[in-house]
Amino acid sequence: MDFTLKINQCIEVLQNGGLILYPTDTVWGIGCDATNERAVIKVLDLKGIESKGLICLVSNDAMLERYVEKVPDLAYDILDLATKPTTIVYDTSKGLAPNLLARDNSVAIRVASDKFCKYLIGKFKKPIVATTANISGSRTPRNFKEIDKAILTGVDYVVNLEPEIQNAVPSSIIKLGMDGLVKVIRE
């Protein structure tokens, strides 16, 4: 199955509020339309968690600016200097599903760095959830073979594509406050 067909099948599932299992720029992820509250509920139910804030991916800086109230200048410096995929937690967002946000209304967003995710999100024209493909409390799968059967059967579409990075690790997470506070949550 070719790349474009996979992208189109993902978009069809996402537009209908469904869930995809896909290789992100870090680890395998469960994805949905990050603006669709019902789709986010499906992700939370599948993982067995209550909303505590989920990471979502955007395709570029322009999309980031459409979904974050105010992107601090420091965010661009961090993204330019990062040597691995880096998720930034912003104080306020706009246009995203409310149940995607953390309890303090902050939002975790990463600008995708791999070809598949950039192309998918760019064509979908909206952010996509990128939460790890595991049940709450279990280990993050490092590769496709480690993904729990409940996750595999709980999504609407599995992207049959090798990730660009094999045995990848989750992204770094940095919280940037509008007050200038910088906090490293995960290296």
Side-chain angles (χ1 to χ4, degrees):
M1 187 183 305
D2 78 331
F3 189 80
T4 304
L5 185 56
K6 290 177 176 120
I7 294 286
N8 291 338
Q9 288 182 316
C10 284
I11 288 172
E12 183 178 331
V13 169
L14 295 168
Q15 287 173 335
N16 290 313
L19 306 184
I20 62 171
L21 176 66
Y22 68 113
T24 73
D25 52 351
T26 58
V27 296
W28 277 87
I30 301 168
C32 72
D33 177 351
T35 67
N36 181 331
E37 197 167 347
R38 284 190 183 143
V40 172
I41 288 170
K42 290 179 186 177
V43 171
L44 297 172
D45 288 347
L46 179 59
K47 286 183 63 84
I49 59 174
E50 291 183 31
S51 186
K52 61 175 178 19
L54 298 174
I55 293 173
C56 66
L57 296 178
V58 295
S59 58
N60 53 41
D61 291 349
M63 184 179 281
L64 173 68
E65 291 166 3
R66 283 197 300 274
Y67 291 93
V68 173
E69 288 286 339
K70 172 76 174 93
V71 179
D73 291 337
L74 181 58
Y76 299 109
D77 294 336
I78 290 170
L79 294 172
D80 287 344
L81 296 171
T83 56
K84 70 181 243 187
T86 301
T87 300
I88 297 181
V89 179
Y90 300 94
D91 280 345
T92 55
S93 66
K94 55 187 177 185
L96 295 171
N99 54 346
L100 174 80
L101 310 178
R103 289 181 182 92
D104 64 358
N105 286 324
S106 63
V107 63
I109 299 179
R110 184 168 68 251
V111 178
S113 58
D114 71 304
K115 178 182 171 185
F116 178 78
C117 290
K118 286 178 97 58
Y119 192 76
L120 171 62
I121 298 161
K123 192 165 180 187
F124 184 55
K125 296 184 174 48
K126 291 192 265 184
I128 296 175
V129 166
T131 186
T132 55
N134 63 321
I135 303 294
S136 179
S138 57
R139 200 166 65 90
T140 298
R142 292 172 305 175
N143 55 55
F144 188 82
K145 291 179 191 130
E146 293 181 1
I147 298 172
D148 190 292
K149 286 195 184 342
I151 298 291
L152 292 169
T153 59
V155 297
D156 300 294
Y157 181 70
V158 176
V159 177
N160 184 10
L161 186 71
E162 284 294 318
E164 287 182 21
I165 300 170
Q166 297 295 321
N167 294 315
V169 295
S171 67
S172 297
I173 301 177
I174 299 171
K175 183 165 177 41
L176 289 184
M178 289 308 293
D179 57 3
L181 179 72
V182 177
K183 179 181 179 186
V184 176
I185 297 172
R186 180 172 69 201
E187 285 188 44

